[in-house]
Amino acid sequence: MEEATETAKATNKRGITLTIRGLDTAIIDRLKVHARAKGRSLEADLRDLLTYASGQPLVLDAVAEADRIAAMTPPARVAPMGGGK
């Protein structure tokens, strides 16, 4: 499969036109099936996907991200042994 490259140019007030070259046709076909299943155009579905993905945090260090998530989780409460009084 060829490596995808992107080019973008200003088109109008609505936004940017994005061209992705070298994308495997099987991927495009699967994306079309997903969009049709939701009653949407491929363009609308990809626009929403890109919008969602751009809002996700960039995780460069998976271990640091796991530590950050673990720090948000309250510690488990362990019942004392022997009936605990």
Side-chain angles (χ1 to χ4, degrees):
M1 176 168 50
E2 296 177 29
E3 184 178 325
T5 60
E6 313 89 40
T7 58
K9 62 180 182 178
T11 55
N12 56 34
K13 291 180 182 178
R14 189 165 172 17
I16 301 292
T17 296
L18 180 67
T19 302
I20 302 175
R21 293 184 176 88
L23 195 57
D24 189 85
T25 56
I27 293 170
I28 296 169
D29 291 342
R30 286 194 306 268
L31 290 168
K32 286 179 180 179
V33 168
H34 285 240
R36 262 187 261 126
K38 295 183 269 184
R40 306 185 61 180
S41 69
L42 176 60
E43 181 180 347
D45 213 38
L46 290 174
R47 187 180 301 112
D48 283 353
L49 177 65
L50 291 170
T51 300
Y52 172 78
S54 70
Q56 298 305 301
L58 180 61
V59 177
L60 298 176
D61 184 346
V63 173
E65 180 66 3
D67 289 344
R68 183 188 71 79
I69 293 169
M72 296 186 310
T73 307
R77 298 185 80 190
V78 179
M81 293 186 66
K85 283 194 175 189

